[in-house]
Amino acid sequence: MIISPAISLIAAFLFSIIVSFSNYELYYLLPIAFILYLNKNNIFSIFKSLVFLNLFIVVLALVLLIQNEYEEALNIYIRTNMIILFNLAIFYNSKGYDIVRGLYILKFPDSFISTTYFTLKMIENLKNDFLNIKNTLKARGFKAKTNLFTYYTFGNILGMLFVKSIRKSQSLKDSFEARGFNKKIYLNDKFKTTNKDILLLLLVGIIIILKVSL
């Protein structure tokens, strides 16, 4: 990650809270611009992901527009995009385990950290299983169409993944119980603050100060 895990979590939380419960302001763009600058080599991919997620945001905005809430629709649309863009940029290079390390550094409860870790692990396993099945179907010449066979195939895949996830979780539980697992995982908690971390916190702090004072 371009920003330390713990600082990333703190900045994401503070920024999301401030933007969520207030009208949008131009100075909210300060930390976003800074993170995008640090991620300048991945800007295209970040905005590509943002455009995809906008498919869901537009639906919410349309509902408000139908109710003649034009100003509120615009406000929610912009604020939501600011939050998503900031989080996409700050966690772009993270596979999730950096977040677990951030929680560990911030001294979250052991059970919460271990639950988050194993949840991410199970999601990763399911994703790999799905990709393997998808590649197998492609190798056999399967093409998704709007017919009963396609629906039946995807239904079987989802059912298979569901059953495999239950079996894997149960197997993992039995394995850790046999090893005397005490709900705690041990990670590297060495934490070094960089200039980038300090600058990001400073920009988020400026937003908070301006919002409170104005």
Side-chain angles (χ1 to χ4, degrees):
M1 295 177 67
I2 56 175
I3 300 294
S4 302
I7 299 299
S8 296
L9 287 175
I10 294 172
F13 175 77
L14 292 176
F15 182 84
S16 299
I17 289 294
I18 291 296
V19 178
S20 295
F21 295 99
S22 61
N23 293 326
Y24 67 88
E25 303 287 350
L26 286 178
Y27 53 78
Y28 288 169
L29 295 174
L30 290 174
I32 296 176
F34 175 65
I35 292 298
L36 288 177
Y37 172 75
L38 295 179
N39 257 317
K40 55 181 177 293
N41 295 329
N42 302 309
I43 284 182
F44 177 77
S45 298
I46 292 171
F47 276 96
K48 184 179 178 180
S49 300
L50 180 66
V51 170
F52 174 76
L53 292 173
N54 261 261
L55 296 175
F56 303 98
I57 305 172
V58 167
V59 174
L60 176 60
L62 286 175
V63 172
L64 292 172
L65 286 174
I66 293 173
Q67 298 175 354
N68 296 322
E69 298 286 346
Y70 302 112
E71 186 175 346
E72 185 64 19
L74 180 62
N75 188 26
I76 289 178
Y77 182 78
I78 294 177
R79 284 189 292 126
T80 305
N81 272 284
M82 283 182 169
I83 293 172
I84 293 176
L85 180 57
F86 182 80
N87 284 278
L88 279 175
I90 200 170
F91 294 114
Y92 181 77
N93 293 317
S94 173
K95 294 183 178 179
Y97 298 106
D98 292 319
I99 298 175
V100 175
R101 183 166 175 261
L103 295 174
Y104 186 81
I105 293 172
L106 294 174
K107 306 301 181 183
F108 273 69
D110 294 335
S111 57
F112 182 80
I113 296 172
S114 58
T115 299
T116 304
Y117 173 80
F118 290 118
T119 298
L120 290 171
K121 192 66 177 176
M122 291 301 298
I123 292 174
E124 183 181 33
N125 289 337
L126 286 175
K127 179 183 177 181
N128 292 334
D129 289 340
F130 177 76
L131 291 177
N132 290 334
I133 294 172
K134 183 179 178 181
N135 292 332
T136 301
L137 290 175
K138 282 184 177 181
R140 295 179 179 179
F142 173 79
K143 293 183 179 180
K145 300 178 180 179
T146 55
N147 55 35
L148 187 61
F149 176 73
T150 300
Y151 302 146
Y152 179 77
T153 301
F154 281 111
N156 279 338
I157 292 173
L158 291 175
M160 188 189 312
L161 290 175
F162 180 72
V163 172
K164 288 185 72 173
S165 66
I166 293 177
R167 288 177 177 174
K168 282 186 177 181
S169 61
Q170 186 61 47
S171 175
L172 188 64
K173 177 185 176 183
D174 294 339
S175 174
F176 276 94
E177 284 182 350
R179 296 176 182 179
F181 180 61
N182 61 353
K183 298 182 180 181
K184 184 174 182 177
I185 58 176
Y186 297 91
L187 301 170
N188 180 11
D189 61 351
K190 292 182 179 179
F191 179 64
K192 184 178 180 180
T193 304
T194 64
N195 292 333
K196 292 182 293 185
D197 300 332
I198 296 173
L199 184 54
L200 177 61
L201 287 180
L202 180 62
L203 291 174
V204 174
I206 290 173
I207 287 178
I208 296 173
I209 294 171
L210 289 175
K211 195 61 192 178
V212 172
S213 60
L214 295 180

